[in-house]
Amino acid sequence: MKEPVPAELAIETHGLVKRFGHRSAVDGIDLSVPRGSVFGFLGPNGSGKTTTIRVLLGLASANSGEVRVLGKPMPAALATVLPDVGALVEGPGFYPFLSGTGNLMRLDSADRHALSSTRRQRVHDALERVGLSHAAGKKVRAYSLGMKQRLGLANAMLRPRELLVLDEPTNGLDPQGTREVRGLVRSLAAGGTTVFVSSHLLAEVEQMCTHVGVMSAGRLVAQGPLEELRAAGQAHVVVQTPDVERAAGVLTRLGLVPGEAPGTGSAWGSTALLGTGLNGLEPEKIVAALVAEGVRVRGFTVENARFVSLTGEGFDVVG
Ligand SMILES: Nc1ncnc2c1ncn2[C@@H]1O[C@H](COP(=O)(O)OP(=O)(O)OP(=O)(O)O)[C@@H](O)[C@H]1O
Ligand SMILES: [Mg+2]
């Protein structure tokens, strides 16, 4: 019998630090991943996502901090926790001379928690779910990067899991494959699996996640339900104006909190003013109010405090 696990959090870290030499790749992060969530672990290249994931899975050891996965301390409870965790981490090791089916059969038989009587069927089903049935008998050395990525996903799904940890699962996939993976993640979550998925694309995270954690240079600069972060993300307007006092007065009357905008304004020979929060106002109403009060508005932008809305690929962490 499994002992009952605390209900709320699937992953929890406190002050997690992982250093390489004297550089901290992960610099004291406190992660809270609710059970049942699809948690998008967002961050640009080199921000520490893979390193964090490797520590969570016991593939690397932390320098300090605490980690709990499915309510149990890691790495102490590694052996009891890992059977409930499916993982896809950078570069899954497959035998090139075996087929997709052959590789999964082999990996599943190495898993002493997996039932051998259902193995063939489970392998078949997993390959089907990731859209690899047509290539099931093909040797993996003839697989494309996207196909290997799908095979890695199939491997993570060979058995029902409580938690799936997927490191950039859409890496190497074309737009169609990316859509399929997103759909897959959503269907897994609908089945009750918690999914922790890393990505460097905000747009992608927005489409499949309920929660987000944003990494920047080894630090977790924001985390929470996507909706909350979105709301918090519409957090300030920047006004370029020579009439700072007057603008501050208008912003205050509108219920915004004026402050000084860092590092802006000189190009206009004016000072920039930061209005924190939009107080539910449409940006154009704020501009109209400023202008109506005689404020010379030379520039006006709406920016997110934590993450900037996407216009293309990639994203910018400001927090
Ligand atoms: N084994 C290692 N030895 C030394 N430095 C490492 C090692 N692994 C990672 N790093 C460094 O730690 C930092 C975080 O790397 P990590 O791979 O965790 O980032 P990431 O967010 O997964 O990036 P990407 O989006 O490129 O996958 C980087 O500066 C990287 O160079
Ligand atoms: Mg990575």
Side-chain angles (χ1 to χ4, degrees):
M1 280 301 288
K2 278 186 209 164
E3 53 183 285
V5 288
E8 332 76 67
L9 295 176
I11 298 171
E12 190 180 358
T13 74
H14 294 287
L16 180 64
V17 174
K18 175 66 182 175
R19 278 189 293 269
F20 294 108
H22 36 233
R23 231 189 126 263
S24 293
V26 177
D27 196 6
I29 69 171
D30 301 327
L31 267 176
S32 298
V33 179
R35 282 195 184 244
S37 65
V38 177
F39 190 103
F41 195 41
L42 189 63
N45 294 132
S47 57
K49 304 180 299 292
T50 299
T51 304
T52 303
I53 286 173
R54 291 177 59 81
V55 171
L56 293 177
L57 295 169
L59 296 168
S61 56
N63 291 93
S64 61
E66 286 168 42
V67 179
R68 296 182 83 83
V69 175
L70 298 174
K72 301 214 179 69
M74 296 289 272
L78 204 60
T80 49
V81 170
L82 280 193
D84 294 324
V85 182
L88 171 72
V89 199
E90 270 170 13
F94 294 118
Y95 287 112
F97 54 88
L98 291 178
S99 67
T101 301
N103 269 286
L104 293 190
M105 292 293 286
R106 201 198 126 267
L107 286 164
D108 196 69
S109 51
D111 178 351
R112 66 187 174 83
H113 299 272
L115 213 57
S116 62
S117 59
T118 58
R119 182 163 298 142
R120 189 157 287 279
Q121 187 63 43
R122 287 183 293 105
V123 166
H124 177 270
D125 293 348
L127 288 168
E128 188 152 49
R129 287 187 84 174
V130 300
L132 264 187
S133 296
H134 67 286
K138 208 174 185 170
K139 287 196 175 31
V140 164
R141 69 162 166 258
Y143 276 23
S144 66
L145 174 60
M147 289 163 82
K148 284 185 194 145
Q149 196 74 358
R150 286 169 196 250
L151 190 59
L153 271 172
N155 177 46
M157 302 184 336
L158 275 176
R159 297 194 295 113
R161 311 283 193 177
E162 284 189 48
L163 171 66
L164 278 182
V165 178
L166 310 174
D167 192 15
E168 309 238 14
T170 58
N171 244 0
L173 296 179
D174 56 17
Q176 171 64 21
T178 301
R179 273 193 295 277
E180 285 171 20
V181 167
R182 283 203 297 261
L184 204 58
V185 165
R186 279 192 292 255
S187 78
L188 287 161
T193 305
T194 305
V195 184
F196 183 82
V197 52
S198 76
S199 174
H200 59 276
L201 299 176
L202 173 60
E204 178 170 294
V205 162
E206 284 186 310
Q207 288 175 57
M208 64 178 167
C209 296
T210 58
H211 291 67
V212 195
V214 184
M215 290 292 283
S216 174
R219 293 185 163 273
L220 187 67
V221 294
Q223 76 176 325
L226 184 59
E227 291 311 319
E228 268 176 34
L229 284 184
R230 264 204 194 122
Q234 295 167 352
H236 63 258
V237 297
V238 177
V239 186
Q240 306 260 357
T241 177
D243 309 315
V244 174
E245 295 284 300
R246 188 177 294 209
V250 176
L251 293 182
T252 305
R253 247 174 292 132
L254 292 173
L256 312 193
V257 183
E260 217 173 287
T264 44
S266 54
W268 294 92
S270 60
T271 313
L273 196 70
L274 195 72
T276 303
L278 296 191
N279 196 24
L281 293 169
E282 281 149 15
E284 55 271 30
K285 298 249 165 72
I286 300 173
V287 183
L290 287 164
V291 173
E293 297 283 332
V295 174
R296 288 168 289 175
V297 178
R298 292 180 170 168
F300 183 89
T301 43
V302 179
E303 291 175 5
N304 285 349
R306 295 293 187 191
F307 48 79
V308 176
S309 267
L310 261 200
T311 44
E313 292 216 333
F315 69 98
D316 202 8
V317 176
V318 181

